[in-house]
Amino acid sequence: MKIYLNGKLVDKNKAHISVFDHGLLYGDGVFEGIRTYDCLVFRLKEHIDRLFKSADAIELKIPMTKIELIEAIIKTLKANKLRDAYIRLVVTRGEGDLGLDPRKCGKPTVFIITDKIVLYPSEFYQKGLEIVTATTRRNLAQALDPRIKSLNYLNNILAKIDAIKSGTEEAIMLTHDEYVSECTGDNIFIVANGELLTPPVDIGALEGITRDAVINVARRHDIPFYEKLLRMEDLYNANEVFLTGTAAEIIPVINIDERQIANGKPGKLTLRLMEELKEITKTDGVKYAL
Ligand code: PXG
């Protein structure tokens, strides 16, 4: 397996970064998780734009242009002959000293890992997922804005531990004032009274690329859609609940905190959106040839 590291393709066992890298020492960096479908990098431009926004928010200057990054991703996919892949694109503050001071980091580290995609088992898509509410609250936007896709994922990992301890795969994270924000690695939608609803990202959620794709589909098909503040009661009483994310795509939720959602089966609109998303993954992105 070849890894892109600071301008070069190197073997996996030679892809090393310094223990003084502030990405490792402080979680000081940004990343993207991207997916390819049959030689099409899904919504690549949107991912690159989000990476630059995240980097801007932490005052990290990415040492490559957007075009150069896109070329580097394609080059790495080709080197590994991957048709369907998961791409991890990471930019750290780079190698510094043991202090926090980012000015001591000379040059940001850029690496790209492309690997085979590991998905939720297919039964979760057919039967739906059971999830719980995490006891860990979402980071305050004024402290570390969840819209920044930074390497600092401890908040999410603590909530993931909550999920695992409850015997589930995902957990809902609430804001400090108990509004629903998102899950540890997925955005959340509900269907209630014929309306498709999701929390606004400014309460403290990542502006998911899949979330945005679903919103586009809803608008295109005149499905009533609103960004709305949601409480757990809204989720418990919803007709449908589903999660969206690059790895998960759209996954139905049928049980939250051991309460069954509606009839306990994936909902009609959820299934329709799953089909629509499948279609988009054939065209909405950047193609490459192996
Ligand atoms: N919210 C959070 C907090 C995320 O990390 C999403 C929503 C969905 O966004 P996209 O753009 O993917 O539709 C994410 C992204 C994993 C994993 O292994 C998942 C993400 C990031 C890193 C790893 O499950 N999800």
Side-chain angles (χ1 to χ4, degrees), residues 9 13 28 57 78 93 112 152 172 180 187 226 237 244 271:
L9 284 174
N13 56 7
D28 187 358
K78 284 185 169 187
R93 190 77 65 182
I112 302 165
N152 223 299
I172 295 167
V180 174
N187 291 109
Y226 303 97
N237 294 321
T244 64
L271 293 170

Side-chain angles (χ1 to χ4, degrees), residues 171-198:
I172 295 167
M173 302 182 76
L174 303 177
T175 61
H176 70 287
D177 47 1
E178 316 241 310
Y179 286 107
V180 174
S181 64
E182 61 179 334
C183 291
T184 69
D186 299 295
N187 291 109
I188 189 158
F189 286 77
I190 69 169
V191 180
N193 302 319
E195 292 174 346
L196 180 65
L197 306 171
T198 195

